[in-house]
Amino acid sequence: MAEASKKRARRSKASSDGRMLGCPSLVWGLVILGSLALNLVTIALLASIYEGNEPSGCRTQSAGLVAEDVREPQSSAKDEEEMVSAREISVSSTSGSRPASKDAVINLDHGDPTMYESFWRRMGRQGDITIAGWQAMSYFSDVTNLCWFLEPDFAHEIRRLHRLVGNAVADECFIIVGTGSTQLFQAALYALSPPDTTEPLNVVSAVPYYSSYPAVTDYLRSGLYRWAGDASTFNGDTYIELVCSPNNPDGSIREAALNSKNGKTIHDLAYYWPQYTPITHAADHDIMLFTVSKSTGHAGTRLGWALVRDKVIAKRMIKFIELNTIGVSKDSQLRAANILKVVSDGYELPICGSEHRLFNYGRKLMSVRWQKLREAVKVSGIFSLPEFQSALCKFTGEKAETYPAFAWLKCEKRGVDDCESFLRNHRILTRSGRHFGMEPKYVRISMLDRDETFDLLIERLSSLH
């Protein structure tokens, strides 16, 4: 009987195995079902672990936009200040790119001057330069010059351009080249600070001030200087005041807010060019900062220059750059020299037509853009913009309007206290007024991006009510 039972069991198993082998789809179905169940359990476990250990700096990302939770916890004034500084440079997947679709996030947080691309494309090979493999290999450019790493051709074209435009007295100043005006700003702070000071020198600027000033000033936590905020409310006799004119972010023409024999001033004139504002006089200050990025649009070249009256201050600025980067790229200087030459040639050579004139191109484009922006703001009814006075431009010889590189937009919509978050919800990245020492009802919007991006901005602003 036992033997018979064993035989029946073997026959039953064989029959079952035969049915399974005869139906492979059933086998694979069971395997797949088991695999899916195991994956679901694994995902659930990982999700619970992740939610309990998410890094504090992490935020949800959507459609290429690095979005921050609008419902942030309450923070102290110090935490708020540190938070603003930490967000100073916010690079997202949309930075520097063209909009991929009509629904794409548009990034107007930066002053990336890509609107100039079309002009330089139209110029063809005139802006091109070839640098031989053996060329510009030495650290030294001109050892007879105080700024020994300044390329002579670049210095020549800087002076030529300032004489042409009439926006600064350059012939009697020392020229110092830097890796953008930011390095020159740091060099100027170093040069103006007493080396034997027991207390850091206060650095101030009237609100709304350029958003990088606080972050760059305090970045190294130097014992020589420190950020002290709004110049218009500063009480003290010794300081460094930063004067940005035309001002970033609001486009206003600025003068120093403070006046003390112990005070020192740095004039940031990055936007004092005919495409943005009437040239009413030739600026003549102790330290004046300019940059290639906002004059010709070549931000990627990373070059700026300072015009400095005092030789001792110039030497200290040069020493800072020498210790910081051992000079400045010769390749960039040679390219920039050729770019500035093309700009000046467009006005000084009789064979050149109006299509070769950069400032004319820039001014016409800025005029059209500001007209479109004001119309969109009027249609929406929930925003406001500053108004500007026209003035006689000595460069053009005509009365001219002001067309700033940035729009200082205020949201007047009831219930909206944070304009940056409001616009971000509509896929527009801007920079909050908090970065500029102002309330978050204000945002700064770049006017310098490509046509595709700017057109999307106008379309979206017009649709908001």
Side-chain angles (χ1 to χ4, degrees):
M1 291 293 291
E3 184 66 26
S5 297
K6 289 181 179 179
K7 288 180 179 179
R8 285 196 299 271
R10 283 196 295 270
R11 284 197 300 269
S12 176
K13 181 178 186 300
S15 176
S16 175
D17 289 347
R19 287 195 299 272
M20 294 287 286
L21 290 171
C23 187
S25 60
L26 178 62
V27 176
W28 282 112
L30 291 173
V31 171
I32 292 172
L33 183 62
S35 176
L36 286 173
L38 181 60
N39 285 338
L40 288 172
V41 171
T42 303
I43 291 171
L45 288 172
L46 289 175
S48 63
I49 293 172
Y50 178 77
E51 288 173 0
N53 298 278
E54 182 182 4
S56 59
C58 195
R59 292 289 184 268
T60 302
Q61 296 189 19
S62 176
L65 165 62
V66 181
E68 298 162 3
D69 192 347
V70 176
R71 300 180 297 277
E72 293 177 345
Q74 296 295 318
S75 58
S76 66
K78 182 178 179 182
D79 291 339
E80 181 74 8
E81 183 178 350
E82 290 178 352
M83 179 176 64
V84 169
S85 294
R87 293 176 186 169
E88 172 58 30
I89 300 299
S90 53
V91 179
S92 77
S93 61
T94 60
S95 298
S97 62
R98 298 176 184 273
S101 69
K102 295 284 285 185
D103 295 324
V105 172
I106 53 174
N107 192 337
L108 297 169
D109 173 82
H110 315 291
D112 201 19
T114 48
M115 76 170 200
Y116 291 97
E117 281 182 356
S118 55
F119 174 84
W120 290 105
R121 285 180 183 274
R122 190 172 71 193
M123 295 298 288
R125 301 187 62 86
Q126 290 189 55
D128 295 359
I129 184 173
T130 300
I131 302 175
W134 53 265
Q135 191 178 358
M137 293 179 64
S138 172
Y139 286 114
F140 304 97
S141 294
D142 181 4
V143 294
T144 66
N145 194 328
L146 189 68
C147 186
W148 51 267
F149 46 84
L150 172 63
E151 283 292 299
D153 287 348
F154 187 43
H156 170 77
E157 293 302 334
I158 287 172
R159 296 190 196 278
R160 180 189 176 197
L161 187 62
H162 281 304
R163 286 194 296 268
L164 169 70
V165 176
N167 60 343
V169 177
D171 289 335
E172 303 302 321
C173 291
F174 296 99
I175 297 178
I176 304 170
V177 61
T179 304
S181 58
T182 299
Q183 187 185 39
L184 291 165
F185 166 52
Q186 293 173 310
L189 292 181
Y190 170 81
L192 293 175
S193 301
D196 56 350
T197 182
T198 56
E199 287 289 330
L201 197 59
N202 290 307
V203 179
V204 297
S205 186
V207 296
Y209 43 69
Y210 175 37
S211 55
S212 281
Y213 288 158
V216 173
T217 301
D218 285 342
Y219 181 66
L220 295 178
R221 301 184 183 275
S222 171
L224 297 176
Y225 47 80
R226 65 186 171 196
W227 178 250
D230 186 5
S232 60
T233 60
F234 176 76
N235 292 315
D237 188 55
T238 306
Y239 55 83
I240 299 175
E241 182 180 357
L242 309 171
V243 179
C244 185
S245 185
N247 190 42
N248 176 357
D250 64 357
S252 62
I253 300 299
R254 290 284 188 89
E255 299 288 344
L258 302 174
N259 183 18
S260 167
K261 64 178 181 179
N262 295 322
K264 300 165 185 177
T265 308
I266 301 170
H267 282 79
D268 183 348
L269 304 179
Y271 302 94
Y272 193 42
W273 295 100
Q275 64 267 51
Y276 309 120
T277 189
I279 304 301
T280 59
H281 67 287
D284 190 11
H285 305 289
D286 291 340
I287 301 176
M288 299 179 284
L289 307 182
F290 294 89
T291 175
V292 170
S293 63
K294 299 308 184 293
S295 55
T296 72
H298 291 82
T301 304
R302 302 309 311 125
L303 276 190
W305 66 90
L307 303 178
V308 183
R309 281 180 180 168
D310 188 274
K311 188 174 184 179
V312 174
I313 297 299
K315 280 184 174 181
R316 283 178 57 79
M317 290 181 67
I318 292 165
K319 176 56 68 174
F320 176 92
I321 297 172
E322 177 185 326
L323 296 174
N324 188 232
T325 52
I326 318 179
V328 177
S329 167
K330 287 187 177 184
D331 293 359
S332 290
Q333 291 187 65
L334 292 173
R335 183 191 187 200
N338 189 57
I339 291 295
L340 297 190
K341 181 179 183 299
V342 172
V343 174
S344 294
D345 285 350
Y347 290 90
E348 295 183 345
L349 297 184
I351 60 173
C352 294
S354 59
E355 70 276 8
H356 294 84
R357 295 177 175 176
L358 175 72
F359 301 127
N360 292 41
Y361 165 87
R363 186 158 193 81
K364 181 178 180 181
L365 183 55
M366 294 299 289
S367 171
V368 171
R369 289 188 171 191
W370 268 95
Q371 182 180 355
K372 289 182 177 180
L373 179 63
R374 291 195 183 278
E375 289 173 355
V377 166
K378 184 177 180 179
V379 168
S380 74
I382 62 172
F383 301 108
S384 61
L385 288 165
E387 296 292 336
F388 304 101
Q389 296 293 324
S390 58
L392 178 65
C393 178
K394 293 187 175 180
F395 174 68
T396 63
E398 300 174 351
K399 197 170 185 179
E401 302 290 332
T402 295
Y403 304 117
F406 298 99
W408 187 232
L409 189 75
K410 184 180 181 181
C411 185
E412 309 280 4
K413 184 178 176 67
R414 181 177 297 178
V416 176
D417 295 321
D418 188 339
C419 191
E420 179 191 25
S421 295
F422 174 70
L423 292 175
R424 187 171 65 236
N425 290 335
H426 295 278
R427 305 184 306 282
I428 304 171
L429 294 184
T430 61
R431 188 169 298 185
S432 171
R434 293 176 298 171
H435 295 275
F436 306 89
M438 296 288 285
E439 59 181 310
K441 278 185 171 290
Y442 288 91
V443 292
R444 189 195 73 173
I445 300 178
S446 172
M447 298 288 288
L448 304 178
D449 215 292
R450 298 179 180 94
D451 287 340
E452 305 97 304
T453 305
F454 183 79
D455 290 343
L456 279 178
L457 168 70
I458 298 303
E459 182 180 316
R460 290 178 189 175
L461 289 182
S462 300
S463 68
L464 301 178
H465 300 282

